[in-house]
Each structure stands twice: as C-alpha cells, then as structure tokens.
Amino acid sequence: QSSDYQVREQGEAQSMGYRAFLLGANGKTLSPWHDVPLKSPLGGGEIFHFVVEIPKESSAKMEVATDEPFTPIKQDIKKGKLRFYPYNIRWNYGLLPQTWEDPNHANPEVEGALGDNDPVDVVEIGERRAGLGEILRVKPVAVLAMIDEGELDWKVIAISVDDPKAALVNDESDVEYYFPGTLTEIRDWFRDYKVPDGKPQNRFGLGNKAAGKDYALKVIQETHQAWVKLVTRSVPAGDLSL
C-alpha cells in the first residue's frame, strides 16, 4: 500500500541538488525502481504498483536517477540546464517498478527497436493529481510503442484502482468510451513534446495507435523478466545502480 512508503526530499525543488528518496515503513531508504514490488498483492495479478515521477499538470521533467544509489527521483538535466516540458503533462506520469527496457534487445514487433535502458513508463489517466514519489495501485488498459530517436520507449496507459471510473475501464475501448479522445491526446502529446526544442516528432510502432490491455500485460511481463536478468547479473548493468 502507498501508506507503507514515504518520501524524504533533499535540497531545493527545481535545483540540481534536489532528490526525493523513498522510505519504507521502518524509515529505511528504498529504491523506487528495485524495492517496490511490481505487482500489488490485491487484484488477481493484473493490478500493479506505479511510482509517480511527474504529477499531472506540471512540467518539471522529474525521473528516477537510475545511475545513483537508491535511484532517487531528481530533475533531468540536459546541456547543464534543468529540463522542463514545453507545456504541462496532463496525466500522472512515472514508472512501473521492477521493469527494464533492455537496450540490447531488438523488438521484432516494433521495427527491431532497442530498449531505452529505463524502467517502463506509465501514463495514469485518473482524475486525482498524485504527489511526487507517491505509489498508486493501477490497472493497465492500453500501451503505446513510442520510438524516440530509434529507441523503444513503451508508454503503458493505466488507471488508478481508486479512481471513480476504475471499475468501468478495463481495456482501450473503455478508455475511448469513458475518456473520449484521451488515447489520441496521449499519443499526440508524446509525439510532439520535443518539437518546440527543434527535434523531430517521435514515432509509434504497432500501427501508430494504442494496443489493448492484453498487449500491455505482455509488455509488462517481458520487461519484468528483463529486469530480473539485470538484477541477477545475468546481463551487464553498465552505469545502472542495482
């Protein structure tokens, strides 16, 4: 449960030194990537934990520091400057713990693209704005295969089980019905967010549209297996902190 965890912030928000560390119920520092279980014990195997890196309606590009001990959340830096999206992200955004997109694995279903060396991203479409470092229980309902500068960067679309519409939304067709236009809006947001910086649009595999829940569950299973290989040292970790 999210009540089992708390967040300890260090440094000033929107500064290079800012870090948000995850603490367990006993006050021990944990890794939000490695130590939070992927699956929630409730929900028959299809409810997962989601770590919020970027609360909805904010623009600071926060992310788990995969190369630092305990992988705290920090603001991304590019060319010596803190990164911000050119406009707010309209959903809660973050990662699935205990998943990894293997940069040595060429995905035959998505143009042979290699993984982006990060945990799998989640776009959570519920109405509540979550807090940075908060852990929600979510159910995946769809997935987009984003190709960012040649790397495969999955976007799992999910809804918090505590959202008022959660019981109604179980697949991509339900998202279209109860959240009309949202799947297209998410795709277009991620397609275009780098354009103001002079970069090309991102592309998408799988026919340029969201695949359904079953495909999302397959992606989660495969990337969890890749993470298992990573932490059991059966593939080299490179700069990643385990």
Side-chain angles (χ1 to χ4, degrees):
Q1 286 295 48
S2 39
S3 53
D4 297 343
Y5 302 97
Q6 49 184 324
V7 176
R8 177 173 60 81
E9 296 179 283
Q10 182 180 299
E12 288 290 308
Q14 295 189 5
S15 77
M16 304 260 184
Y18 176 85
R19 298 290 184 276
F21 287 90
L22 188 69
L23 306 181
N26 55 3
K28 188 176 161 205
T29 305
L30 300 174
S31 162
W33 181 19
H34 300 308
D35 294 326
V36 177
L38 171 60
K39 287 194 173 179
S40 165
L42 312 165
E46 293 189 1
I47 306 296
F48 298 87
H49 289 125
F50 157 55
V51 181
V52 180
E53 294 169 300
I54 305 176
K56 73 191 286 184
E57 296 304 343
S58 65
S59 66
K61 175 93 173 66
M62 309 301 294
E63 60 180 25
V64 158
T66 56
D67 57 350
E68 295 183 12
F70 295 109
T71 67
I73 297 171
K74 66 166 189 176
Q75 191 165 350
D76 190 26
I77 296 169
K78 201 152 206 178
K79 294 181 181 163
K81 289 188 174 163
L82 293 168
R83 271 185 79 190
F84 292 87
Y85 290 128
Y87 28 74
N88 283 355
I89 189 161
R90 309 229 2 233
W91 311 274
N92 295 309
Y93 186 55
L95 66 94
L96 285 173
Q98 299 188 348
T99 61
W100 180 53
E101 300 189 45
D102 183 349
N104 299 302
H105 173 66
N107 191 303
E109 293 174 22
V110 190
E111 302 179 17
L114 300 169
D116 74 350
N117 201 31
D118 279 324
V120 170
D121 296 324
V122 177
V123 183
E124 192 276 315
I125 61 174
E127 66 177 32
R128 185 175 79 82
R129 182 180 196 259
L132 181 135
E134 193 175 340
I135 294 166
L136 304 183
R137 292 184 305 122
V138 300
K139 56 181 184 179
V141 290
V143 64
L144 284 162
M146 188 171 103
I147 302 167
D148 179 356
E149 297 180 23
E151 293 181 334
L152 180 54
D153 186 1
W154 292 109
K155 307 294 179 196
V156 169
I157 297 154
I159 187 166
S160 166
V161 297
D162 297 322
D163 190 81
K165 290 183 178 166
L168 303 168
V169 178
N170 296 294
D171 209 332
E172 86 278 18
S173 56
D174 299 330
V175 180
E176 287 294 5
Y177 188 81
Y178 293 103
F179 295 85
T182 295
L183 293 175
T184 302
E185 199 182 337
I186 292 170
R187 184 199 63 197
D188 292 355
W189 196 97
F190 282 101
R191 182 189 68 195
D192 296 338
Y193 80 92
K194 291 185 173 179
V195 172
D197 293 333
K199 294 265 184 81
Q201 289 181 323
N202 288 318
R203 296 185 306 108
F204 293 86
L206 305 181
N208 197 35
K209 57 183 196 289
K213 177 190 81 170
D214 290 343
Y215 203 97
L217 293 173
K218 177 174 101 97
V219 168
I220 293 167
Q221 179 60 27
E222 288 172 358
T223 53
H224 176 62
Q225 291 307 323
W227 174 84
V228 169
K229 287 182 185 161
L230 177 67
V231 293
T232 54
R233 312 296 201 274
S234 55
V235 294
D239 292 335
L240 300 171
S241 174
L242 306 185

